[in-house]
Amino acid sequence: MNLEIRKPKIEDAESIIEHKIKVTKENPDTLATAIENQEPDLDDQIEKIKNTGENDLKLVAVDGDKVIGIINMFHDHRHKFRHIGQFGISVQQEYAGHGIGSKLIQEVVDFATENDKIEKLILTVFGNNDGAIKLYERFGFESEATLKDQVKLNNDSYTDLIYMSKWVK
């Protein structure tokens, strides 16, 4: 594996879409994505790459020229919430267990720690995603709230939605 973690480039747009489709199929009961609602659009993905705010962080993990992981952290611009950065992460199953998720999360924690606007990182995770929960806990994230049976899965069963956070300042 030839792993590189970096900001996405315009030429990554197709590979990012392929990644999103793949992880959505691989994780139907532990991941919620916009792809479930609409077909991905190349022009829209290019715009997302171009329009990253100065207090936002978008990173891709690539193996050669193939995107195999993504993390996006968005700064909340609303006045009473502008101390918050919220992120989401995905790594393809075949690359899980190689520390890629840890490297991506560490990048976000470092970015937020150094950013003078962000004081707290937040995320949501499905209650049935034990591996992700353990990963977040290793980075010092704590559960703040659990919404019972908030997520309806494909087999008509339910799982909790857990809000986790970490103060970086």
Side-chain angles (χ1 to χ4, degrees):
M1 176 173 40
N2 184 19
L3 178 69
E4 179 185 9
I5 294 176
R6 59 171 169 75
K7 292 183 178 179
K9 302 173 186 174
I10 300 300
E11 52 269 21
D12 293 324
E14 278 190 53
S15 188
I16 289 171
I17 290 171
E18 290 168 5
H19 167 79
K20 290 178 179 180
I21 291 169
K22 184 169 185 170
V23 297
T24 300
K25 287 179 182 173
E26 289 176 342
N27 304 286
D29 289 332
T30 58
L31 184 69
T33 67
I35 286 183
E36 294 174 309
N37 298 333
Q38 65 186 31
E39 197 65 30
D41 179 77
L42 184 59
D43 292 333
D44 182 51
Q45 186 59 57
I46 290 169
E47 283 305 308
K48 287 178 181 175
I49 292 169
K50 287 181 181 177
N51 297 319
T52 302
E54 67 178 302
N55 296 308
D56 298 339
L57 183 64
K58 294 179 182 178
L59 295 173
V60 291
V62 293
D63 183 6
D65 60 354
K66 176 184 173 187
V67 173
I68 53 125
I70 297 174
I71 196 163
N72 291 311
M73 195 270 325
F74 299 99
H75 174 239
D76 196 323
H77 293 84
R78 298 173 294 172
H79 181 72
K80 292 178 177 141
F81 300 99
R82 65 181 173 212
H83 64 289
I84 293 173
Q86 181 168 0
F87 74 90
I89 183 173
S90 61
V91 175
Q92 292 176 19
Q93 279 183 359
E94 67 186 280
Y95 293 91
H98 296 282
I100 297 167
S102 294
K103 289 176 183 172
L104 290 168
I105 292 171
Q106 188 64 58
E107 290 281 344
V108 164
V109 170
D110 291 347
F111 177 84
T113 301
E114 295 168 13
N115 185 292
D116 62 347
K117 301 229 185 300
I118 300 171
E119 300 172 27
K120 183 180 185 181
L121 287 172
I122 65 171
L123 62 93
T124 58
V125 60
F126 287 12
N128 63 352
N129 195 345
D130 294 330
I133 293 167
K134 287 177 183 159
L135 175 62
Y136 301 139
E137 289 173 343
R138 281 201 318 262
F139 279 88
F141 285 84
E142 297 178 348
S143 176
E144 284 196 351
T146 299
L147 302 179
K148 295 290 185 188
D149 294 334
Q150 184 74 7
V151 182
K152 188 170 185 177
L153 304 174
N154 292 330
N155 65 1
D156 288 335
S157 66
Y158 298 88
T159 193
D160 300 340
L161 185 65
I162 301 170
Y163 282 78
M164 297 183 80
S165 71
K166 172 186 177 81
W167 287 92
V168 295
K169 305 242 181 359

